[in-house]
Amino acid sequence: MNQITRRAGLGAMAGLLAAPGLLRAQTSTIRIVVPFGPGGSTDAVARLASAGLQQRLGATVVVENRSGAAGSIGADIVAKARPDGQTWLLTFDSHATIPALLRNPPFNVLTDLDPVMLIGGSPYAVATRPDKPYRNFADVVAAARARPDGVSYGSTGNGTLGHLSMIRVSEAAGARMTHVPYRSGGLAVNDAVAGHVEMMIGSAALLLPHITGGSLRPLLQFGPQRLTRLADTQTAAEAGFPNMEAEAWWAVFAPKGTPADQVNRMNAALREALSEERARTVMTETQQARLVLSTPAELGTFFKGQVETWGGLVRAANIQPD
């Protein structure tokens, strides 16, 4: 009896040793680096996906916040990590402006990271505290013209598409506003709700819970049409600023050289995790985000276009990192 049990145990161990991928998957920890602080939309997307990823990848999934320098600090950690499928980057739209924003970036966004998936996006929106004297964006413009640099707005950081969009709108309106960058959307929202800044710009996904809860009032949205849950809020085009659409986006990258099978495995796991009814409902209905769930190649093409489009605006405005 003991001999049979011992042989069975040795056989099972041999099977595990013959399948190192299985053994590694069951004992490893997968790290998802979010290059912004807790409380923002990027952090929320990562944590929403992590439970589903853990179930599908058979590993402990840890979300690690490493903020600073428009997301380049966290991204650099991933770029320099071993390409073994254990470290991934889930980042935000400012990732595309790093080459233009930093004088000497510590890594190359196009060559030192491999694309995995464009998760999706959410239009930018502007919101203020309900007791502020702004009922719409025209009121903001009037106040900024009357008090140049006297109207402040927060954003999730220098070089984000939200920051760039406010620069474009301010210039088009002939008004000067003071920009206050934050290391995360959570910090920006906290100060907007507290009234430390006159208003803030952030993704609709970030702002909607606070708008729904009554702690913020929407003033403007940058989507091509009004979101269902912002049906009474003008788009930029309706407010007199055509061709100024801006959508925040989230994407996943891997260290350069990560094996294709690992990239494809993560892509498939993300697709399944974010397609679950609860996750999809949170993304598309609660946060009014647009799910894309792209292939790695599709993200690669999209990202190159973003680097070209927004990098030029960063240079033209001479924007510096936080």
Side-chain angles (χ1 to χ4, degrees), residues 165-177:
S165 296
M166 286 297 286
I167 289 175
R168 294 174 70 196
V169 165
S170 299
E171 290 177 348
R176 294 208 319 260
M177 303 182 201

Side-chain angles (χ1 to χ4, degrees), residues 72-92:
S72 65
I73 291 176
D76 184 48
I77 290 171
V78 178
K80 291 179 169 57
R82 291 179 59 187
D84 56 6
Q86 303 300 295
T87 304
W88 307 83
L89 175 72
L90 200 161
T91 191
F92 192 56

Side-chain angles (χ1 to χ4, degrees), residues 280-303:
R280 180 173 286 276
T281 298
V282 170
M283 290 290 291
T284 62
E285 295 182 21
T286 305
Q287 299 184 340
Q288 296 279 282
R290 178 178 64 93
L291 278 178
V292 177
L293 307 180
S294 78
T295 65
E298 288 168 342
L299 170 57
T301 300
F302 168 82
F303 183 62

Side-chain angles (χ1 to χ4, degrees), residues 179-270:
H179 175 229
V180 182
Y182 290 85
R183 285 178 174 263
S184 75
L187 293 174
V189 166
N190 288 344
D191 268 15
V193 169
H196 299 318
V197 288
E198 294 288 288
M199 59 192 156
M200 75 160 290
I201 183 166
S203 70
L206 173 66
L207 297 179
L208 270 169
H210 303 276
I211 291 171
T212 302
S215 58
L216 289 176
R217 175 197 295 138
L219 299 172
L220 190 70
Q221 54 184 312
F222 285 85
Q225 60 270 327
R226 298 187 186 192
L227 294 175
T228 304
R229 295 183 62 197
L230 292 177
D232 296 328
T233 305
Q234 286 184 319
T235 65
E238 290 170 337
F241 305 102
N243 304 315
M244 289 197 184
E245 295 176 11
E247 184 180 62
W249 51 262
W250 311 279
V252 176
F253 293 84
K256 182 69 176 178
T258 299
D261 64 331
Q262 294 279 2
V263 169
N264 293 333
R265 182 168 176 252
M266 174 58 84
N267 182 282
L270 278 166

